[in-house]
Amino acid sequence: MVLGMGMSPQTVIHPPAEGITERVDPVACLGERTLSQASEEGAVGPGRYIEVQGSDRTLLIPVKDDVIHIGRGLSADVHLDESSVSRRHAILVPRASGARILDDRSSNGTFVNGRRVQQADLSNGDVIVIGRVVLRYLEL
């Protein structure tokens, strides 16, 4: 096996993205446009939301009927300014029965409840990890 510069056999067995355990404050990563759509926890009505729990406050981003692009790119609907997040990281697709998340060929993967997924149906309370950013899908 030929390894690239700076790679060891350990890198091949355990890619760096899978070893990420340090989490970041997701509220601090949110872009201005995303922040303008978010509401404080407790100030929302029934519906579906992406919960963003920061160190000092929790925000809820509404999941409406349109597809939601999540990533570091400026065009993302949920803009996460964090280096472990790909420009086009994941896509959240609202459906009548809830929502489905799709990995958008991200570098570090999309995880639901600790399991790396290419796509997964979401249920109330599911934990979504995008790079080092932890989110939660809620149905209120």
Side-chain angles (χ1 to χ4, degrees):
M1 175 189 301
V2 178
L3 299 175
M5 183 177 243
M7 292 183 72
S8 71
Q10 268 312 87
T11 305
V12 175
I13 295 169
H14 300 289
E18 292 182 19
I20 293 175
T21 55
E22 176 188 351
R23 301 289 187 238
V24 297
D25 183 344
V27 171
C29 297
L30 292 176
E32 288 299 318
R33 189 171 45 124
T34 306
L35 279 171
S36 70
Q37 299 170 9
S39 300
E40 295 285 336
E41 183 180 41
V44 297
R48 297 181 286 183
Y49 299 91
I50 297 171
E51 179 188 64
V52 184
Q53 188 171 13
S55 58
D56 60 344
R57 64 182 175 153
T58 299
L59 297 176
L60 297 176
I61 301 167
V63 174
K64 298 186 177 159
D65 295 331
D66 296 329
V67 169
I68 297 173
H69 294 270
I70 303 170
R72 189 170 35 105
L74 295 176
S75 64
D77 301 309
V78 176
H79 176 99
L80 299 170
D81 190 15
E82 212 295 308
S83 62
S84 65
V85 175
S86 296
R87 283 181 181 86
R88 293 175 41 184
H89 200 106
I91 301 169
L92 188 74
V93 181
R95 300 164 47 165
S97 61
R100 184 168 190 80
I101 193 157
L102 311 166
D103 185 79
D104 196 7
R105 300 174 308 225
S106 67
S107 298
N108 292 329
T110 300
F111 294 79
V112 176
N113 297 327
R115 199 178 104 238
R116 188 173 186 155
V117 299
Q118 289 301 311
Q119 54 184 321
D121 290 321
L122 297 174
S123 299
N124 185 36
D126 281 348
V127 175
I128 304 163
V129 178
I130 306 286
R132 295 186 301 174
V133 178
V134 179
L135 307 169
R136 189 178 344 183
Y137 175 75
L138 296 177
E139 296 175 353
L140 303 176

